[in-house]
Amino acid sequence: MKIAIIGAGISGLLTAYYLKGYADVTVYEKEADAGGLSASIAHDGIRVEKYNHFISVKDEEFIRVVSMLGLEEELQWARVKHGFILGDNLWGMNTPGELFFFSHLSWTGKIKLAKFMIKASLRSDARDLQDISARDWIEKECGKDVFRSFFEPLLEYKFTHFEDVTAAYLWARINEGKKNKIGCLRNGLDVVFGELKKQVSQKAQVLFNSPVKKIVKNDSGLWRVITNREDKLYDLVISTISIKQTSQLGPELLKITGDLNRIDYLSVSSLILAVDQPLKNGWWLFMADQGHGGKFGMRVVVDAFFIAGKNFVYFPVYQRQSQESIIEKEQLLQECFQVLKRINPGFNEAWVKKHYFFQDKFVEPVLNKNFFRLLNVLPEDSKGLYIHEAVFQEGLLKTLNTSAIKSRIIAEQIRNNDVRNNSG
Ligand SMILES: Cc1cc2nc3c(=O)[nH]c(=O)nc-3n(C[C@H](O)[C@H](O)[C@H](O)COP(=O)(O)OP(=O)(O)OC[C@H]3O[C@@H](n4cnc5c(N)ncnc54)[C@H](O)[C@@H]3O)c2cc1C
């Protein structure tokens, strides 16, 4: 069996890893190297992820992948603190005691919030939350006060306009588990990609600088995959790019994905600052309000002080593609410096030894009611086309862990279907 995989991010390479040796697998990647959204850049003799990447202890599948690749020694964990920057105050959100002193919430709000968090953590899935908006869910469970003071900043940061975002998304975020203990690879995710490339290339082909331009189904039911260099036939195609981008690769694909072509996506613009000291010792994540003149709404600052023993500050900004305005590097840099000074008044721009700016589109779909309604009509295996993003119930958020789960599941489905077809 011949299988084409589109994309050499974590999903594409892991799916290839599970299918190598079983089928004749070719991975097509448009860029010169692997990694996709979790790719790394070279900085001062080390490799550092272009976007901030951390895992939680709940990310069991990804942790298993790290061990499977023989990289368990690379995994490191840190106890960290996170909090809100409101005005010029830093409010820690790490202990019941800190919540007790958080003056932006009433006493009844604090009690309702604590009860709600316990209840939400006991839920096993969010299927019944797909049709309810995040706002309606929280206001019903905890009241308007809690929504405004606690959850609205989170949703505003990610979506700016969040009225259509479902409770299912918020539940997944609450249960992500990345709170006071986070993990990362000592030498960055690049080591995972290095090992995956090595092991996959032994039994499969990984072609870089090979963007898939078009996919056509021929009369014998095989898929023609057309790149800038090749035109080859495959029994199956596995797409790890967004449903929307997949549908643009040919009329047959558009027919399969149907109205899913209308779903909205988030894009991201992000700064990495290489700084010569931690922003605030022991702290990891800050959610900052607009403060003094911030232009884009709530902001998140990630202080990644333990990647390869160096300090990096990430300043990622998400936008909905349907409502996008252009974010320029200089503008974001000025805004970032203002926020950093509010986090640590001693922060000085001279701390920043180098900075980088990255932007990506189709980072993740907006989980609104429309998305779930459309997704429910898309078969996961449609006439030999598998789309990672459509294997949705396996994890609502797009993370390394859910990518790893989906890769395994798609590989298992392909093997099982093959056994069934052969025995029939
Ligand atoms: C700012 C930010 C922070 C994040 N933080 C975390 C985190 O802390 N923890 C976590 O678990 N996850 C995090 N993520 C999510 C994580 O990066 C993604 O879930 C993961 O990288 C998705 O991998 P993927 O392989 O599914 O997709 P991608 O990484 O998008 O890979 C798709 C690949 O397909 C290639 N491609 C596109 N079009 C074509 C084409 N036509 N032909 C050939 N190749 C093509 C792309 O170049 C890319 O390499 C974060 C993401 C962002 C943006």
Side-chain angles (χ1 to χ4, degrees), residues 5-13 28-31 33-39 51-55 59 157 176 178 193 210-213 240-241 245 249 268 270 284 316 318 360 362-364 388 398-403:
I5 298 180
I6 310 172
I10 191 75
S11 302
L13 282 185
Y28 292 100
E29 168 55 53
K30 78 173 161 65
E31 302 294 339
D33 204 353
L37 292 172
S38 11
Y51 301 123
N52 50 284
H53 278 82
F54 297 97
I55 57 165
D59 289 338
Y157 159 64
E176 208 182 4
K178 256 194 253 160
F193 285 102
S210 301
V212 173
K213 302 265 187 210
T240 70
I241 62 178
Q245 289 168 301
L249 290 174
V268 72
S270 183
W284 164 60
Y318 290 92
D360 264 287
F362 300 103
V363 164
E364 60 183 80
H388 260 247
K398 193 169 169 183
T399 66
L400 297 166
N401 194 58
T402 56
S403 299

Side-chain angles (χ1 to χ4, degrees), residues 22-50:
Y22 173 77
D24 181 356
V25 177
T26 304
V27 182
Y28 292 100
E29 168 55 53
K30 78 173 161 65
E31 302 294 339
D33 204 353
L37 292 172
S38 11
S40 298
I41 55 161
H43 167 81
D44 240 2
I46 60 164
R47 302 278 296 166
V48 58
E49 289 125 44
K50 65 177 184 169

Side-chain angles (χ1 to χ4, degrees), residues 209-228:
N209 297 311
S210 301
V212 173
K213 302 265 187 210
K214 207 166 177 198
I215 298 184
V216 186
K217 193 146 215 184
N218 76 5
D219 293 341
S220 3
L222 296 174
W223 293 101
R224 263 179 74 200
V225 175
I226 302 161
T227 68
N228 49 349

Side-chain angles (χ1 to χ4, degrees), residues 373-392:
R373 190 175 53 76
L374 294 171
L375 188 73
N376 287 336
V377 298
L378 178 74
E380 282 164 11
D381 163 20
S382 193
K383 301 171 196 143
L385 170 72
Y386 290 78
I387 306 179
H388 260 247
E389 214 170 76
V391 188
F392 220 77

